[in-house]
Each structure stands twice: as C-alpha cells, then as structure tokens.
Amino acid sequence: MPDKRHRTTLHQANNPPPLQRVALIGNYPPRQCGIATFTADLLESIRRVSPGTNCFAVPITDTDEGYQYPEPVRFEIQQNDLASYRYAADFLNISDVDVACLQHEFGIFGGPAGSHLLSFVEELRVPLVTVLHSILRDPNTDQRHVMKRLSASSDRLVVMSHMGADILSEVYGVPNEKIEFIPHGIPDVPFTDPIFYKDKFGLDGKNVILTFGLLSPGKGVEIVIQALPEITRQHPDVVFVVLGATHPNVKKQDGEAYRLSLQRMAADLGVEQHVVFYNRFVDFAELLEFIGAADIYITPYLNEAQIVSGTLAYAVGMGKAVISTPYWYARELLCDDRGILIPFDDPGAVVRSVNEVLENKTKSNRLRRQAYALGREMTWSVVAGNYIDCFAKVSEGRTASPRRVSNASPLHIRPRELVKVDLQHLERLTDDTGLFQHATFIVPNYDDGYTTDDNARGLLVTTLLEESGQLVKQARGLSVRYLAFLMHAFNPSNGRFRNFMDYDRRWLEEVGSEDSHGRALWALGTVVGSAEVSAYRGMATRVFDAALPAIEHTTSPRAWAFTLLGIRGYLSHFSGDRKVQQMRNLLAGRLQQALDTYASEDWPWFENILSYANAVLPHALLISGKAMENDDMITRGLTALEWLADVQNLSGTCFSPIGSNGFYPKGEARARFDQQPIEAQAMVSACLDAFRISEDPGWRAKSRWAFDWFLGQNDLYEPLYDPLSGSCRDGLHADRPNENRGAEATLAFLQALAEMHAIEGLVEVNNPQQRTRTADISQIAS
C-alpha cells in the first residue's frame, strides 16, 4: 500500500539498524484490548527481527488492583495519576533509551482528552515515535489541543492508513515529512482452506461467517443477525460466530446487556441455532484457528470514523473473503477487489453480499487471493523491520541535528503538583440519609441537619471525581446517597425542591430557596451528562425533567446560572432535547438582559451588588454563549469575569474574594471579610472554562491564583485546607480562619481540586508562571 504523498518505510532486511534500547509505551497484556495486543506483538516481533535490541514495555494501568505484567514490563504508568507520567519520563531519560515508541489513543490516558500524556512527552528527552491508533477528523477543543502538542513533541508520527496521514496534514497541520506510513502488523500464516480448521470447533459442513473483537454496541452485530433469516433460508448450513469477550468498559457500565439483547434478537428471529457466541478473550493460537475456519469475515461497524482495525487487518492478511461497512480503514484496505463494501446499517446488503460470496466461488477465491497478497506486506516480521528502520532514522536524525527539548525541566522547577483528592471528611459528614450541613471543627453537627444545597454540591463533586477516574468506588458510593436525597427533596406537588431537613428526617419547609433549586438542577444535569452508571443517569434525568419547568418562574440570577451549568451537562448527553434548549436560551437571555439593566463602563456586572458565588454569573453566560454560538455572550461573559478578577485582586498579591460581611454594593465600600470558600471555587471553575473556550493561558493562570487561596495564598497567609483531615475551614475572618469545617466549604475545595486535576495536563509545561513557586499575581490577574 505504498503512497508517494507520505513517507513510507520499506524495511531492508539485510541491514538492521544498530539500536540498543527501545521502550514501547502503551497498554500491555494481561490487559485485554486491541492496543495491548498490538504493543505485545510489536515488542516480540522487534525482539525476533533484531535480537540485539533490548525492547521493553511501559504499560498504562487503568485499575487500582493493577495487573500481573510479564517480563518485558519495566515500569508502569497509573492512568489517572499525573505525577506517574512525569516519573515515567524521568525513568526513560536516565535509562539510555535510543527511542521511545508511544501507542496513542485518547481514551487510554488520564485527563481531558488524555491530556495527562502531555506531561510525559514534554518531559521526555529521548527521540519519540508516536503510533496513532485513532485520528479524529472533527476533534473537540481539548482533543485538538492535545494532538497538536503531541505532534509537536514527537519526532515522527506513524499512521496505519493513508487517510490518517491526510487528516494529520489537513486538520492538525502536521508536515508530511513528519508522517510515516507503516501498516498494521498481522501474523504470517499459510493460505489454507477453511475446512482444515472447522472440525476443531464442530463446524464441519458449515459455512462460517465470523466477526471478532471486544464486543460493544458500535460493532453492528445486530445487523448481521437481522440478515440471518433470509441468508439461512437460502443457505441453511450458515453459522454466524461472534468471537470475543464484552469490552471491559462496556461490561463495567452495562454488564452483558448488549450480548443478551443480541441473543434475544436471534431467538425472536428464529435463528438462535445459527448464531454462536464465544464470550471470552481468546489467545493468539486459538484466534488464528477461528479465523482459519471462517469462510467469510464481516465487520458491520456502524460508524465510518475508524482509522484502523486490527481485526480487519488480521482477516485480510490471512486471506479471508471480507464483507465490511465502509468505515475509513475498510475503504482503504479493501479497495482493488480485496473485499466487498456494503452500506451502513443495511441488513439487506448483508444478505446479498453473503449469498454472492457463498454462491460465486470464483469471486470468493479472487477476493481471498487479492487479500492474502496484500497481507505479505503486513506480516509482523516486515512491520517490525519497518519500525526498526523508522527508529534508526529518528535516532540518527536527532544525533545529526539535536533538537532542543525546551519543555523538559528538572524537578525543582516543575509545576507545583496538586494535592491528591481525599474524601475522608466528606465521608465523615455523610450518613445513610445524606450530607450534614455543618461541623464543629471536624465533628458533624447533627443539630443543623441536612440541606438540598449541600447534597447537590456533594452529588456534583462525586460525579466529577467519577468522570475523571479519581476514587471512583468511594465517589460512586457517596453519589447514590446524595442522589437519593435529591429525589426525596423534590416535591412533585409544586415542582420544587425542599431545602432544609432536620436530623429526624423531617422537612422544615415545603419550598426551598430558588438557589437551592438551581443548584440541584446543576448537579442532576451533571449526572445526566457524566455519570458512568446508567441507572444514576436515568434517575437524574427523571428528576431533572420534572424540576426544570419551575426555574422559569424564579427571579434569582444565581438560580438561572446554576441551572445553565446543569443544562450544559444534560445537553451533552441529550443534545436534541428542544425543551431544554429553549430553557437554556431563555435563562441565558435573562442574564444578558441583567447586564443590559445594570452594567456600565466601570461596573460591567449583572446586579448592583457583588454578593456570593459571584463568578457563576459570567461563567454561565460564557458557557451558554459557546453552546449557542453567540459571540456577544462570550465576549460579555469574559469581560465581566475579567472585571471580577480585578476587583478581587489584593494589590497584586493574592486572590481576595468579596467578604460576606456586607458584600460590595455599587458605589460603596467592599467588605473584605468574611471570605467564603465558595467564591474561590466559583472563580476556579469559571476561569477554567474561560481557558477552554478562549484558549488564553492567562485564564488557566487565574484559576491557579484563585485555587491557591485555599492553600494559604490569601489575605492572612493562612491555609483553609487541612490535608490531615481532608477538610476545609469554613471561611476567613479578619483575624483568623473559621475552624469549623462544614459541607459547603469542604465541597468547595473538593470541586475546585477535582476541576484543577481534570485540566492539569492541558497546561503548557513550559509556562513560566506555572513553573515558579510564587507567581506574579499582579500580572496574572490584571
């Protein structure tokens, strides 16, 4: 499949390059996924082709329990631990590695769009070859940001299809000379008749249709099952073999629901005797036997945006008659009469193509021979040689023209690492009913009972932690209690949430505050958009839908803003919900109207007072403007947030939020104390979204500036967060911190910390403001 548009490596088998040490970074067995298999195959093949090369693996570990890795593994990276990526870079930097070869797919690394990986590649000093297992033609902002920085840090980008190279050039601006085409590797097996293998599986006398790989809904297996009644009417000896375990992520979230639905469909259509499910991850030798037994291999995938498929590469390379939907990789691999392409989601096309292959042996044999011929260029021995040649060129190129790695930094000037999330105080404040409102020091205060406000905050924080992969089991166990509290708090007779409940579980009111209603909608919308447990999403959706109409009749701008933040989460999952879109447009319009009413050149604000949770107002306008493609909303949101940052900048030294002891009425003196943690959290959250939307790194610096208020960079130089207890003090008085540590304060810190962790990998490592221990706050905030 050579192509002159992009660099193609052709291995010279008689002259292997002298590489001493090569590190492969990516998933690795016993983890079960395609990239793990690819990494292990490449490693073993390099060792066979170049015995003098010490090739070892650095896997990404996605579970707390870890894996029992085999001998080739020298170091492992914890997926959601940012520091682990930096330590891995340090390890390779001192290990005399000639080349590091990274397997990239967004979903296998921590952080937004896998951004934790950037801390690894930008600290790495050795030559880097990045193998791209997915390339997005329509990336979101975070994905584009990550891919551009990954490309800049890589000496070479390897693609396994020419379309992938085109996308890199056109979408990400990667120069052609930096792109290398190397095909996906396949086992080198002889061209054999399927009859040779069928008796091993009791399939003698059957026409076997095979699909294999980790099972998930996007694989389109149901399309083939829907076609089977007509296929078996003409060919009653057909058996459809579905080989492979359910994808671990699918199984974790939905169990075996998809597989069971396929089995029910086969039974309902009367073809259950023609469908065989092998629900396990088969080893390499057994996989080859299954493929060998197939008369037809089929990939009925439902989405065209797949740039490579190892399963399709295996089937083509082993000389199978292949039928596939026209996803990107299939269109390229099956051209020139190497397979049959059928439309997406078309059982009738499956029927016609299968019947044609089974009935036209001449065509079937031609497809098989053409596919097998291409496979000779894709065997692992050839592909490993191609990688070795690529590594050698990259290593020699770096030696001849050293590239200054300006991002790599010694430990003492690296970004300050965030503290790890600690839920011990949150668990201390939570009982079977929900979250206690207050604490005396760190002891829960039963007398003050519970509030919907705080349980909504708790649900929001635990959902954010679950989404980012931090303390998932703990967070999920707490989430269900907070969600249950909100369900109980909702009063269907008036469509409103009650807020205050005493320790005896008696509601103290029939209608809570407007702000508590908005905050509950914020939490529920976040669950709808981000929770992994589908049952949580379903329950949250039901309550959200019932509670949303009441917000139209409220008058609190903060209630509107909280709701808009919840609507963002809700629409990320149900983007087509017109009712919710209309509510978003209404509430965002009200915030814009509030600016029209109260804003002036020296007071660009939504009210004639700065009171509490101030940053949530421009935050909501900003994210709504982004969703509605309204540039005026975005601009006015950024202007208001910038002004608020200036107002809360204490002489260029620290973040100094508006005090709750009098607030800041327009034209009057502002209250300096009592400062509340919710102000720092709201500012952190707003600045992070301003960074995402504007891509201005100054907003990321402001988020750190506001976050450091919790850690002692404040008016009194007193830390509010206590790492020993995992708690946050309730506020800052004029002479001391408030030593009580209730739910609002602790959750404000945890939310800010969770959001800072989520964005951390997206920050440029070589940003001077992020390297220094004490940033120039006057420059950051002005």
Short mmCIF file of all heavy atoms in Angstrom, two decimals, residues 605-629:
data_model
loop_
_atom_site.label_atom_id
_atom_site.label_comp_id
_atom_site.label_asym_id
_atom_site.label_seq_id
_atom_site.Cartn_x
_atom_site.Cartn_y
_atom_site.Cartn_z
N TRP A 605 -21.53 44.54 35.35
CA TRP A 605 -22.00 43.42 36.17
C TRP A 605 -23.51 43.23 36.04
O TRP A 605 -24.22 44.08 35.50
CB TRP A 605 -21.59 43.64 37.64
CG TRP A 605 -21.65 42.38 38.45
CD1 TRP A 605 -22.48 42.12 39.50
CD2 TRP A 605 -20.89 41.20 38.24
NE1 TRP A 605 -22.27 40.85 39.98
CE2 TRP A 605 -21.29 40.25 39.22
CE3 TRP A 605 -19.91 40.83 37.34
CZ2 TRP A 605 -20.75 38.97 39.32
CZ3 TRP A 605 -19.35 39.57 37.43
CH2 TRP A 605 -19.77 38.65 38.41
N PHE A 606 -24.00 42.10 36.56
CA PHE A 606 -25.37 41.65 36.39
C PHE A 606 -26.33 42.23 37.43
O PHE A 606 -27.54 42.11 37.28
CB PHE A 606 -25.43 40.12 36.49
CG PHE A 606 -24.51 39.42 35.52
CD1 PHE A 606 -23.16 39.27 35.80
CD2 PHE A 606 -25.01 38.90 34.34
CE1 PHE A 606 -22.32 38.61 34.91
CE2 PHE A 606 -24.19 38.24 33.44
CZ PHE A 606 -22.83 38.11 33.72
N GLU A 607 -25.80 42.81 38.49
CA GLU A 607 -26.60 43.36 39.57
C GLU A 607 -25.91 44.62 40.07
O GLU A 607 -24.77 44.92 39.67
CB GLU A 607 -26.69 42.35 40.74
CG GLU A 607 -27.27 41.00 40.37
CD GLU A 607 -27.09 39.97 41.48
OE1 GLU A 607 -25.93 39.68 41.84
OE2 GLU A 607 -28.11 39.47 41.98
N ASN A 608 -26.57 45.31 40.98
CA ASN A 608 -25.93 46.49 41.56
C ASN A 608 -25.18 46.15 42.84
O ASN A 608 -24.91 47.02 43.66
CB ASN A 608 -26.95 47.59 41.81
CG ASN A 608 -28.08 47.13 42.73
OD1 ASN A 608 -28.00 46.05 43.34
ND2 ASN A 608 -29.13 47.94 42.84
N ILE A 609 -24.86 44.86 43.01
CA ILE A 609 -24.10 44.41 44.17
C ILE A 609 -23.31 43.16 43.79
O ILE A 609 -23.77 42.34 42.97
CB ILE A 609 -25.04 44.10 45.35
CG1 ILE A 609 -24.23 43.79 46.62
CG2 ILE A 609 -26.01 42.98 45.01
CD1 ILE A 609 -25.09 43.65 47.88
N LEU A 610 -22.10 43.03 44.33
CA LEU A 610 -21.35 41.77 44.29
C LEU A 610 -21.61 41.08 45.62
O LEU A 610 -21.29 41.62 46.68
CB LEU A 610 -19.85 42.03 44.12
CG LEU A 610 -19.40 42.47 42.73
CD1 LEU A 610 -17.92 42.86 42.76
CD2 LEU A 610 -19.62 41.37 41.71
N SER A 611 -22.22 39.89 45.57
CA SER A 611 -22.59 39.23 46.83
C SER A 611 -21.86 37.89 46.98
O SER A 611 -20.70 37.88 47.38
CB SER A 611 -24.12 39.06 46.90
OG SER A 611 -24.62 38.38 45.76
N TYR A 612 -22.51 36.79 46.63
CA TYR A 612 -21.86 35.50 46.86
C TYR A 612 -21.91 34.68 45.57
O TYR A 612 -22.72 34.92 44.68
CB TYR A 612 -22.54 34.73 48.00
CG TYR A 612 -23.82 34.04 47.60
CD1 TYR A 612 -23.84 32.67 47.32
CD2 TYR A 612 -25.01 34.77 47.47
CE1 TYR A 612 -25.02 32.04 46.93
CE2 TYR A 612 -26.17 34.13 47.10
CZ TYR A 612 -26.18 32.78 46.83
OH TYR A 612 -27.33 32.16 46.44
N ALA A 613 -20.99 33.69 45.47
CA ALA A 613 -20.87 32.85 44.27
C ALA A 613 -20.86 33.72 43.03
O ALA A 613 -21.50 33.41 42.02
CB ALA A 613 -21.98 31.81 44.22
N ASN A 614 -20.11 34.80 43.08
CA ASN A 614 -20.20 35.82 42.03
C ASN A 614 -19.80 35.30 40.66
O ASN A 614 -20.45 35.58 39.65
CB ASN A 614 -19.35 37.03 42.41
CG ASN A 614 -19.93 37.79 43.58
OD1 ASN A 614 -21.03 38.31 43.52
ND2 ASN A 614 -19.19 37.83 44.68
N ALA A 615 -18.73 34.53 40.60
CA ALA A 615 -18.18 34.13 39.30
C ALA A 615 -19.12 33.22 38.52
O ALA A 615 -18.97 33.04 37.31
CB ALA A 615 -16.83 33.45 39.47
N VAL A 616 -20.13 32.64 39.20
CA VAL A 616 -21.03 31.73 38.50
C VAL A 616 -21.85 32.47 37.44
O VAL A 616 -22.28 31.88 36.44
CB VAL A 616 -21.95 31.00 39.50
CG1 VAL A 616 -23.03 31.93 40.04
CG2 VAL A 616 -22.57 29.77 38.87
N LEU A 617 -22.06 33.78 37.61
CA LEU A 617 -22.88 34.54 36.65
C LEU A 617 -22.17 34.69 35.30
O LEU A 617 -22.73 34.30 34.27
CB LEU A 617 -23.26 35.89 37.25
CG LEU A 617 -24.09 35.83 38.54
CD1 LEU A 617 -24.35 37.23 39.09
CD2 LEU A 617 -25.42 35.12 38.30
N PRO A 618 -20.95 35.25 35.25
CA PRO A 618 -20.28 35.28 33.94
C PRO A 618 -19.95 33.88 33.42
O PRO A 618 -19.93 33.66 32.20
CB PRO A 618 -19.01 36.09 34.21
CG PRO A 618 -18.79 36.02 35.68
CD PRO A 618 -20.17 35.94 36.28
N HIS A 619 -19.71 32.94 34.33
CA HIS A 619 -19.43 31.56 33.92
C HIS A 619 -20.60 30.99 33.12
O HIS A 619 -20.42 30.42 32.03
CB HIS A 619 -19.18 30.72 35.18
CG HIS A 619 -18.74 29.31 34.91
ND1 HIS A 619 -18.61 28.36 35.90
CD2 HIS A 619 -18.40 28.67 33.76
CE1 HIS A 619 -18.21 27.22 35.37
NE2 HIS A 619 -18.09 27.38 34.07
N ALA A 620 -21.81 31.14 33.64
CA ALA A 620 -22.98 30.59 32.96
C ALA A 620 -23.21 31.29 31.62
O ALA A 620 -23.58 30.64 30.63
CB ALA A 620 -24.20 30.75 33.85
N LEU A 621 -23.02 32.60 31.56
CA LEU A 621 -23.20 33.31 30.30
C LEU A 621 -22.16 32.86 29.28
O LEU A 621 -22.46 32.68 28.09
CB LEU A 621 -23.08 34.82 30.53
CG LEU A 621 -23.46 35.71 29.34
CD1 LEU A 621 -24.93 35.56 29.01
CD2 LEU A 621 -23.11 37.17 29.63
N LEU A 622 -20.96 32.63 29.75
CA LEU A 622 -19.86 32.23 28.87
C LEU A 622 -20.10 30.85 28.24
O LEU A 622 -20.01 30.69 27.01
CB LEU A 622 -18.56 32.21 29.68
CG LEU A 622 -17.25 31.88 28.99
CD1 LEU A 622 -16.95 32.88 27.89
CD2 LEU A 622 -16.12 31.87 30.02
N ILE A 623 -20.45 29.87 29.05
CA ILE A 623 -20.63 28.52 28.51
C ILE A 623 -21.91 28.44 27.67
O ILE A 623 -21.99 27.66 26.71
CB ILE A 623 -20.59 27.44 29.61
CG1 ILE A 623 -21.69 27.66 30.66
CG2 ILE A 623 -19.23 27.42 30.28
CD1 ILE A 623 -22.82 26.70 30.56
N SER A 624 -22.91 29.25 28.00
CA SER A 624 -24.13 29.26 27.19
C SER A 624 -23.85 29.92 25.84
O SER A 624 -24.34 29.45 24.80
CB SER A 624 -25.24 30.01 27.92
OG SER A 624 -25.56 29.37 29.14
N GLY A 625 -23.07 30.98 25.85
CA GLY A 625 -22.70 31.61 24.59
C GLY A 625 -21.93 30.68 23.68
O GLY A 625 -22.14 30.66 22.46
N LYS A 626 -21.06 29.86 24.27
CA LYS A 626 -20.32 28.88 23.49
C LYS A 626 -21.27 27.87 22.87
O LYS A 626 -21.18 27.55 21.67
CB LYS A 626 -19.30 28.18 24.38
CG LYS A 626 -18.53 27.05 23.70
CD LYS A 626 -17.61 27.56 22.62
CE LYS A 626 -16.74 26.44 22.07
NZ LYS A 626 -15.89 26.89 20.96
N ALA A 627 -22.21 27.35 23.67
CA ALA A 627 -23.15 26.34 23.18
C ALA A 627 -24.09 26.91 22.12
O ALA A 627 -24.46 26.22 21.16
CB ALA A 627 -23.95 25.77 24.34
N MET A 628 -24.46 28.19 22.27
CA MET A 628 -25.42 28.82 21.37
C MET A 628 -24.73 29.52 20.19
O MET A 628 -25.40 30.13 19.36
CB MET A 628 -26.27 29.83 22.15
CG MET A 628 -27.11 29.20 23.25
SD MET A 628 -27.75 30.39 24.47
CE MET A 628 -28.79 31.41 23.43
N GLU A 629 -23.39 29.45 20.17
CA GLU A 629 -22.60 30.12 19.12
C GLU A 629 -22.93 31.61 19.07
O GLU A 629 -23.09 32.20 18.01
CB GLU A 629 -22.82 29.46 17.77
CG GLU A 629 -22.40 28.00 17.74
CD GLU A 629 -22.57 27.35 16.37
OE1 GLU A 629 -23.21 27.97 15.50
OE2 GLU A 629 -22.05 26.22 16.19
#
